[in-house]
């Protein structure tokens, strides 16, 4: 046995470089296999674009070499490298499963948030993949322990080898891995589907390319002087145009709220319909309805908050996508700061934790004065919309009792995924439909439908309470994104709905469209005709606008649209291009244009440049 071991050690010493190559290739193949996409498709894509193989294996090879030069044991180096890259790719898999959002370097600073999120999603933990990572890494390390170190080499060559390896990688990182043209040159299925790009180009390459994913990207052709000319132009006519008493302004963003149950596949009676109460509010003469196009499908609540509050677009922060609340670290203007100039205090209310999505810091930078999170709610009931309404009402009553004007942005949480029966400790009604659904889709839709019913009833009760007041109120109620009802749009497909981000402009926009209702109480109207109030907003024919325009509409209804020149610009832009979404624009007649003309592109460019100025330069 000992003689065989010695023979293997001699062979091991001669074949060490071949061993390193084989282990680097194995780790790369394992990383591709762990990817959420099809292994066969990903490998075929890489073989058709062989540079991707180099870009994905290089960080593995460099890490492996540095460890080898340090410890002189190829198998231990390979095992540790395999474990680290395997776990990073596994984290990417889980994050995409739960949030449809790839793992990026900034997530290392958000481990607490990630651990919390795993408790809120019903994730497939992929035990087979865990076994693959752990067992393959352990096998390499144990083999390295058994064979021992390779023949002793002088310290100086090992140090030089490690330094050169790091130097080569650093040179590549600041050149090849930062090359935007190279990244954009690969023929991906959809340049706007960040998850798909990670799957096709490889996690290792995309992880390094997106090292500063959350930082705002300077637009092509950006000119600070041009933006400042726009500021001067739209500042020249700013004035206090409000007549009479200013209203209280209340925006309620309801987690995953949608009108999905208006689909003909459902067979509810009017009395039992999940949207019964919502329908009653929408049918009121005090209401106007429409749809907003939000940044994401199935997740990204805080991104919608960013768009609505700032009038800027998450989708314009970076071409490859971003988490908006982590993309700035300074004060930026918002609807809250514009209303502050008109004498309003501001409050944000949410039953979730303050650190989630970096809200505590980001919302403070947006100028919101009072931030109220989970601590204000009873732990046992804080997720319910009924508890949300009670806390909201108490805060509104207390903060406006002396005649103060208040801007409130409140975000609910009850309809947050996961949508499984265990979400509630009682049996909920099963979804009513004429279709034969899978067990998974039936569960998702049943749980989601109960939550929608609760949200609708909360909205109706809120409007009834507001209408009992003698002071004017503007309420804007809307969803943050469509719900994620199973992998690959499972429930939507079974309902016959055509959603997705790799097809037509309609598919992409419909996947990110949720309803809104604007409601004003009788005290706000004070004898005026509501239809005249709403017609002045000049909503498009189909009522669909981008989420970045919703805050501007609230400012108009408060008579404060000219308080900030940027929002004056948005008021004008909305009446030209009510929808702007990932290279697609929508016109006032409801048409979607996937190839905007020069005039339309100039308007989008103007928005993009002004946004960059507000986020970075102002």
């Amino acid at each position: 046995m000992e003689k065989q071991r010695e023979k293997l050690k001699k062979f091991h010493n001669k074949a060490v470089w071949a061993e390193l190559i084989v282990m680097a290739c194995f780790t790369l193949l394992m990383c591709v296999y762990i990817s959420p996409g099809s292994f066969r498709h990903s490998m075929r894509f890489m073989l058709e674009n062989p540079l991707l193989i180099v870009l994905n294996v290089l960080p593995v090879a460099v890490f492996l070499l540095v460890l080898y030069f340090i410890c002189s044991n190829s198998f231990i180096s390979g095992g540790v490298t395999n474990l680290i890259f395997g776990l990073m790719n596994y984290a990417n898999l889980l994050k995409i499963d739960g949030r449809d959002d790839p793992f990026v370097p900034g997530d290392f600073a958000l481990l607490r948030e990630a651990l919390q999120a795993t408790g809120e999603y019903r994730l497939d933990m992929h035990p087979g993949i865990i076994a693959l990572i752990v067992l393959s890494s352990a096998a390499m390390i144990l083999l390295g322990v058994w064979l021992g170190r390779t023949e002793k080499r002088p310290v100086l060559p090992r140090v030089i080898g490690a330094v050169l390896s790091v130097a080569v990688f650093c040179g590549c990182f600041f050149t090849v891995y930062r090359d935007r043209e190279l990244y954009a040159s690969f023929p991906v299925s959809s340049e706007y589907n960040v998850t798909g790009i990670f799957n096709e180009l490889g996690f290792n390459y995309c992880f390094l390319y997106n090292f500063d994913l959350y930082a705002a990207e300077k637009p092509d052709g950006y000119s600070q002087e041009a933006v400042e000319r726009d500021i001067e132009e739209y500042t020249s006519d700013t004035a206090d145009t409000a007549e009479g008493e200013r209203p209280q302004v209340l925006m309620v963003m309801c987690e995953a709220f949608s009108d999905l149950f208006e689909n003909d596949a459902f067979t509810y009676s009017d009395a039992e319909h999940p949207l019964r109460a919502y329908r009653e509010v929408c049918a009121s003469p005090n209401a106007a309805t429409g749809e907003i196009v939000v940044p994401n499908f199935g997740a990204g609540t805080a991104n919608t908050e960013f768009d609505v509050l700032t009038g800027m677009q998450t989708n314009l922060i970076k071409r490859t996508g971003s988490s908006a609340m982590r993309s700035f670290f300074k004060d930026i203007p918002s609807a809250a700061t514009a209303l502050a100039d008109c004498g309003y205090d501001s409050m944000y209310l949410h039953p979730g934790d303050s650190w989630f999505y970096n809200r505590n810091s980001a919302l403070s930078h947006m100028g919101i004065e009072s931030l109220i999170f989970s601590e204000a709610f009873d732990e046992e009931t804080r997720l319910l919309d009924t508890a949300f309404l009670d806390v909201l009402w108490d805060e509104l009553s207390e903060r406006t009792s002396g005649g103060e004007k208040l801007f409130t942005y409140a975000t609910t949480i009850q309809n947050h995924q996961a949508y499984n029966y265990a979400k509630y400790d009682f049996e909920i009604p099963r979804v009513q439909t004429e279709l034969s659904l899978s067990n998974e889709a039936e569960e998702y839709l049943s749980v989601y439908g109960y939550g929608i019913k609760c949200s609708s009833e909360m909205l109706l009760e809120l409007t009834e309470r507001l209408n009992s007041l003698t002071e004017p109120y503007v309420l804007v109620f809307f969803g943050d994104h469509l719900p994620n009802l199973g992998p690959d749009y499972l429930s939507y497909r079974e309902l016959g709905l055509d959603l997705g981000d790799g097809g037509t402009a309609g598919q992409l926009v419909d996947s990110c469209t949720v309803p809104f209702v604007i409601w004003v109480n009788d005290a706000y109207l004070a004898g005026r005709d509501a239809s005249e109030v709403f017609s002045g907003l000049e909503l498009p024919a189909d009522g669909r606008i981008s989420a970045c325009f919703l805050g501007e509409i609230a400012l108009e209804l408060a008579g404060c649209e000219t308080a900030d020149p940027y929002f004056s610009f948005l008021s004008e832009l909305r009446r030209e291009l009510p929808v702007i979404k990932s290279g697609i624009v929508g016109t006032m007649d409801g048409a979607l244009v996937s190839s905007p003309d020069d005039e339309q592109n100039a308007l989008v460019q103007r928005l993009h440049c002004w946004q960059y100025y507000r986020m970075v330069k102002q």
Side-chain angles (χ1 to χ4, degrees):
M1 185 70 179
E2 190 61 32
K3 288 182 178 180
Q4 290 178 334
R5 182 185 178 192
E6 288 302 319
K7 288 181 180 179
L8 284 174
K9 287 187 69 173
K10 288 181 180 179
F11 178 79
H12 167 56
N13 288 330
K14 293 179 181 178
V16 64
W17 294 106
E19 293 167 356
L20 292 171
I21 292 172
V22 169
M23 285 186 287
C25 291
F26 175 85
T27 299
L28 174 63
L29 289 172
M30 184 185 69
C31 290
V32 176
Y33 177 75
I34 294 172
S35 167
S38 162
F39 176 76
R40 182 178 298 177
H41 172 76
S42 297
M43 286 306 305
R44 183 171 62 248
F45 191 85
M46 286 190 179
L47 290 172
E48 292 171 353
N49 301 275
L51 181 56
L52 287 174
I53 298 176
V54 178
L55 292 168
N56 280 281
V57 80
L58 180 61
V60 175
V62 169
F63 196 87
L64 180 58
L65 278 175
V66 171
L67 288 181
Y68 172 68
F69 284 127
I70 291 173
C71 71
S72 294
N73 191 310
S74 58
F75 284 108
I76 288 180
S77 303
V80 173
T81 300
N82 191 73
L83 180 63
I84 290 174
F85 279 85
L87 291 176
M88 289 174 61
N89 278 265
Y90 177 69
N92 178 62
L93 172 65
L94 290 186
K95 192 177 178 203
I96 288 176
D97 279 354
R99 298 270 290 277
D100 194 29
D101 185 30
F103 182 69
V104 294
D107 290 327
F108 281 119
L110 299 166
L111 291 179
R112 181 186 177 195
E113 177 176 321
L115 291 172
Q116 175 77 11
T118 58
E120 297 177 352
Y121 296 89
R122 186 171 62 174
L123 295 176
D124 177 2
M125 300 307 292
H126 304 281
I129 288 177
I130 296 176
L132 172 64
I133 297 169
V134 173
L135 292 178
S136 60
S137 301
M140 294 180 198
I141 293 171
L142 290 173
L143 186 56
V145 172
W146 186 66
L147 290 174
R149 299 172 62 181
T150 54
E151 291 179 348
K152 190 173 182 180
R153 290 182 172 85
V155 173
L156 183 59
R158 289 163 51 198
V159 171
I160 292 174
V163 171
L164 284 176
S165 299
V166 173
V168 168
F169 176 74
C170 289
C172 291
F173 176 77
F174 289 108
T175 54
V176 177
Y177 288 97
R178 314 307 299 145
D179 190 333
R180 181 188 300 173
E181 292 183 1
L182 174 63
Y183 187 81
S185 69
F186 296 107
V188 296
S189 300
S190 172
E191 63 178 304
Y192 300 111
N193 181 359
V194 182
T195 300
I197 292 173
F198 268 67
N199 290 341
E200 292 182 328
L201 302 191
F203 169 78
N204 297 343
Y205 171 42
C206 291
F207 182 84
L208 293 173
Y209 176 81
N210 291 284
F211 197 82
D212 57 349
L213 177 68
Y214 296 129
E217 186 175 84
K218 181 185 288 189
D220 294 334
Y222 171 78
S223 167
Q224 181 171 326
E225 293 76 15
V227 174
E228 290 173 347
R229 285 196 297 271
D230 280 342
I231 294 173
E232 184 177 355
E233 174 187 345
Y234 285 93
T235 301
S236 61
D237 61 355
T238 56
D240 186 352
T241 58
E243 296 180 2
E245 183 184 1
R246 292 195 189 277
Q248 307 289 357
V249 179
L250 171 59
M251 306 190 83
V252 176
M253 186 173 78
C254 190
E255 174 68 42
F257 188 85
S258 77
D259 54 5
L260 176 63
F261 291 95
E262 297 291 9
N263 188 286
D264 292 338
F266 298 104
T267 57
Y268 294 98
S269 66
D270 289 343
E272 296 176 320
H273 200 284
L275 290 169
R276 179 198 61 79
Y278 174 75
R279 287 173 168 179
E280 184 174 337
V281 174
C282 293
S284 164
N286 292 31
T289 61
E291 297 176 319
I292 55 170
V293 180
V294 299
N296 305 101
F297 166 82
T301 298
N303 288 344
T304 301
E305 287 177 342
F306 173 86
D307 284 27
V308 173
L309 280 165
T310 66
M312 297 186 273
Q313 287 205 346
T314 299
N315 297 141
L316 288 178
I317 294 175
K318 281 184 74 74
R319 298 182 188 184
T320 53
S322 186
S323 179
M325 294 295 202
R326 304 184 191 113
S327 61
F328 59 95
F329 303 96
K330 69 178 197 64
D331 291 348
I332 62 172
S334 70
T337 58
L339 286 166
D341 290 340
C342 295
Y344 283 77
D345 298 328
S346 55
M347 174 181 74
Y348 176 87
L349 176 72
H350 178 48
D353 294 314
S354 61
W355 47 264
F356 201 63
Y357 281 124
N358 195 40
R359 279 191 175 103
N360 196 47
S361 172
L363 293 169
S364 296
H365 281 309
M366 291 182 196
I368 297 181
E369 298 162 330
S370 299
L371 303 173
I372 303 171
F373 292 102
S374 58
E375 295 78 9
F377 294 79
D378 182 87
E379 182 60 30
E380 293 184 1
T381 60
R382 73 181 178 91
L383 302 184
L384 302 179
D385 279 351
T386 51
F388 166 85
L389 177 57
D390 288 341
V391 175
L392 172 64
W393 191 256
D394 288 345
E395 292 291 341
L396 292 176
S397 301
E398 179 180 345
R399 293 169 185 270
T400 61
S401 59
E404 300 89 347
K405 294 304 174 185
L406 182 67
F407 168 58
T408 303
Y409 195 106
T411 300
T412 73
I413 202 172
Q414 177 168 345
N415 242 354
H416 197 285
Q417 59 178 328
Y419 306 109
N420 53 62
Y421 292 135
K423 182 170 185 174
Y424 299 103
D425 58 1
F426 51 87
E427 185 174 353
I428 61 170
R430 295 299 188 264
V431 63
Q432 297 181 29
T433 175
E434 61 187 11
L435 300 177
S436 178
L437 300 173
S438 65
N439 291 336
E440 293 84 353
E442 181 181 25
E443 181 174 6
Y444 291 136
L445 289 167
S446 297
V447 176
Y448 177 65
Y450 177 77
I452 285 295
K453 181 175 183 292
C454 295
S455 298
S456 298
E457 292 172 350
M458 178 270 291
L459 171 63
L460 177 59
E461 184 175 349
L462 175 59
T463 59
E464 290 172 346
R465 291 188 188 188
L466 292 176
N467 226 13
S468 69
L469 302 178
T470 57
E471 63 177 330
Y473 258 91
V474 169
L475 168 65
V476 183
F477 177 92
F478 55 100
D480 56 347
H481 53 71
L482 287 173
N484 186 343
L485 299 173
D488 194 26
Y489 303 94
L490 172 69
S491 299
Y492 297 97
R493 285 190 289 105
E494 294 193 20
L495 291 172
L497 298 177
D498 187 20
L499 301 184
D501 50 16
T504 65
Q507 285 178 312
L508 174 61
V509 173
D510 288 347
S511 300
C512 297
T513 296
V514 292
F516 73 82
V517 56
I518 300 168
W519 180 92
V520 295
N521 66 353
D522 292 339
Y524 177 90
L525 293 172
R528 291 182 293 169
D529 189 319
S531 61
E532 293 182 6
V533 172
F534 295 132
S535 65
L537 297 175
E538 299 180 273
L539 295 174
D542 59 357
R544 185 152 62 178
I545 62 174
S546 285
C548 67
F549 295 122
L550 199 56
E552 176 272 320
I553 286 177
L555 290 178
E556 283 197 36
L557 292 170
C560 298
E561 68 272 19
T562 59
D564 182 327
Y566 178 73
F567 283 100
S568 294
F569 164 68
L570 287 183
S571 177
E572 183 178 289
L573 178 62
R574 175 172 61 81
R575 289 164 168 86
E576 292 287 333
L577 296 179
V579 173
I580 298 172
K581 168 69 175 175
S582 301
I584 299 166
V585 299
T587 57
M588 288 296 287
D589 61 3
L592 292 176
V593 181
S594 55
S595 298
D597 61 30
D598 290 344
E599 184 177 348
Q600 292 166 338
N601 279 325
L603 288 171
V604 176
Q605 173 74 356
R606 200 174 180 188
L607 170 69
H608 194 180
C609 291
W610 203 334
Q611 169 172 324
Y612 178 78
Y613 179 88
R614 284 165 80 87
M615 289 189 69
V616 177
K617 297 297 182 181
Q618 185 167 326

